[in-house]
Amino acid sequence: MKLNTQTYPFVRRLPLLGANLGAASVFLGSAASAGQILSIGDMSSSYNRNIWWMSIAVIVMAIVIFIGVSYALFYTVNKFREDKHTAEPDQFHGNNRLEQLLIGVPVIIVTIITILAARTMAIVNPTPTDALHVNVTGAQFWWAFEYPGSPLQGTTGTVTNGNELVIPAGRQIAITVTAKDVIHAFWAPNLGGQRDAIPGSKKTFQIDTDRPGVYQGNCSLLCGASHANMRFKVVALPKAQYDTFIAAAQSYKAPAPTTASERNGYNIFMQGKASAGAAPCSSCHRVQGTPAAGAVGPDMSFFGSRNTLGAGIWEGKEREAHIQPWIKHCAAVKPGCEMPPYLSLSAQDLGDLEAYILSLKLPDAAAYWGKVPVR
Ligand code: CUA
């Protein structure tokens, strides 16, 4: 199995303390595609900006305290040093003023940090009334993104997508996160904080970015054999492009198969093949506008417009090279993959299935890849 294992520079756009302050950055080895930089110091996100400035205040206080305590320590040791060890040490009760100071100053410091933290939480935690809502479900080992249709969202029907989250730039996105099986955690560092995805629990928090682009996300809690292969992309589009996407996704009906190959692929997808010995694709996957309405695996409605496979393991050309091995024996290319193997499908059938799922495309105007830079 070939994974992206390049390493990347891991700090960007830090407004203070130079561009290489490791403390404020995150580095997730082999977690991003080529050229992508994961950083909680990405100042395009208002969430990250708020956390960043609070961190700076606390770090500055910590530096001042460190210097002050170090100075006091060396001063005291030096001043009261007894070289000859012959005299009895001075016997004294203590120093009331010093003790009051040693209690008073930490209380003031902790109070200031508490106020800063409470203020930042009050800014980043409440969900704005005009936020765009997306329901996120983590499962072994992939992500479902669901856009509930409602007048508030400016949409009318539910859209779902697997492993690729499309959002408008410049707007708060209220993520309501849960999980299907075990505890996962949703984290796109450039867009905001992380939250655990817990079965039976729903938590809402916000992510955002001012800057259109493709961002990397990861499951950030050990959840099983393919925890490291449970990635996702966030595609932040300019508002007009996002509106085009969501409108097209709302009214999307999968195109009918046009070639003999696609037709055979369609039939296998919908009805399966007796010789394959496992359920048809449609029993687990949804394709909007067809009888396929499964919800066990990722939505395949516009798989042909996606750029990733296997929850972000492969992208672009590598993705295409892995589609057939994936269908044939998913667990052989991704540890712990729950899709059953289809070992008896012929090369012809696999090719036809690939042709069919690649034909499932949004209209060009609504396609979201290639329109914004990879960040
Ligand atoms: Cu899902 Cu780690």
Side-chain angles (χ1 to χ4, degrees):
M1 172 168 53
K2 187 167 183 296
L3 300 180
N4 293 318
T5 50
Q6 289 142 292
T7 52
Y8 310 96
F10 51 93
V11 178
R12 85 193 308 172
R13 259 176 284 278
L14 300 180
L16 276 184
L17 306 181
N20 282 304
L21 184 65
S25 67
V26 286
F27 170 63
L28 304 173
S30 79
S33 74
Q36 284 198 289
I37 298 164
L38 304 187
S39 174
I40 58 172
D42 188 331
M43 293 293 123
S44 308
S45 159
S46 73
Y47 188 102
N48 285 353
R49 282 196 296 273
N50 280 301
I51 302 291
W52 173 253
W53 289 114
M54 194 199 92
S55 308
I56 289 299
V58 174
I59 289 168
V60 167
M61 285 168 65
I63 291 171
V64 170
I65 292 164
F66 176 76
I67 292 171
V69 170
S70 301
Y71 176 80
L73 179 67
F74 284 106
Y75 173 83
T76 312
V77 167
N78 192 43
K79 178 161 187 197
F80 298 102
R81 192 171 59 194
E82 168 56 69
D83 288 332
K84 294 182 185 129
H85 307 290
T86 52
E88 178 90 348
D90 281 351
Q91 305 297 313
F92 58 96
H93 149 70
N95 185 328
N96 284 349
R97 269 190 69 193
L98 184 64
E99 285 166 20
Q100 284 159 4
L101 211 64
L102 288 177
I103 293 169
V105 170
V107 167
I108 292 169
I109 292 168
V110 170
T111 305
I112 292 173
I113 293 175
T114 305
I115 291 169
L116 282 174
R119 176 182 170 275
T120 306
M121 285 161 69
I123 293 170
V124 300
N125 280 348
T127 301
T129 50
D130 61 347
L132 177 85
H133 287 257
V134 181
N135 296 326
V136 176
T137 305
Q140 285 175 322
F141 294 96
W142 61 283
W143 296 95
F145 301 118
E146 179 199 29
Y147 301 72
S150 79
L152 190 66
Q153 305 273 40
T155 58
T156 50
T158 296
V159 168
T160 59
N161 201 15
N163 303 314
E164 294 182 1
L165 171 61
V166 184
I167 61 168
R171 188 170 171 189
Q172 294 284 314
I173 315 299
I175 301 281
T176 299
V177 67
T178 187
K180 247 187 201 172
D181 34 38
V182 300
I183 303 177
H184 305 269
F186 175 100
W187 198 19
N190 295 58
L191 306 176
Q194 62 176 320
R195 284 293 186 285
D196 286 358
I198 301 170
S201 149
K202 287 186 176 175
K203 289 187 207 164
T204 301
F205 70 108
Q206 281 70 242
I207 60 170
D208 72 292
T209 181
D210 301 336
R211 201 168 39 132
V214 178
Y215 297 89
Q216 178 71 30
N218 293 80
C219 179
S220 55
L221 202 61
L222 183 62
C223 56
S226 263
H227 158 66
N229 299 324
M230 188 172 162
R231 313 171 189 180
F232 57 95
K233 297 287 182 188
V234 183
V235 183
L237 297 173
K239 185 186 179 304
Q241 277 179 20
Y242 173 80
D243 290 346
T244 306
F245 158 76
I246 199 71
Q250 290 286 340
S251 58
Y252 179 83
K253 282 197 170 50
T258 51
T259 65
S261 176
E262 287 172 19
R263 271 191 291 277
N264 185 40
Y266 174 91
N267 289 334
I268 298 172
F269 193 100
M270 298 302 162
Q271 281 122 41
K273 196 151 189 174
S275 63
C281 316
S282 59
S283 60
C284 292
H285 296 280
R286 173 176 181 260
V287 177
Q288 199 170 315
T290 75
V296 177
D299 191 304
M300 300 289 285
S301 296
F302 26 89
F303 180 83
S305 291
R306 300 217 286 251
N307 191 47
T308 61
L309 177 70
I313 309 181
W314 302 287
E315 298 179 35
K317 289 222 161 21
E318 280 206 336
R319 165 196 193 242
E320 282 171 30
H322 283 87
I323 291 176
Q324 291 189 33
W326 178 273
I327 299 170
K328 190 165 185 179
H329 194 183
C330 159
V333 290
K334 179 172 178 174
C337 178
E338 293 198 348
M339 191 165 90
Y342 292 89
L343 299 174
S344 65
L345 283 181
S346 66
Q348 172 77 42
D349 288 340
L350 287 168
D352 292 349
L353 264 174
E354 178 183 11
Y356 174 62
I357 58 178
L358 284 176
S359 76
L360 300 172
K361 281 186 172 173
L362 289 163
D364 285 346
Y368 51 88
W369 277 101
K371 296 191 169 157
V372 288
V374 174
R375 303 291 187 187

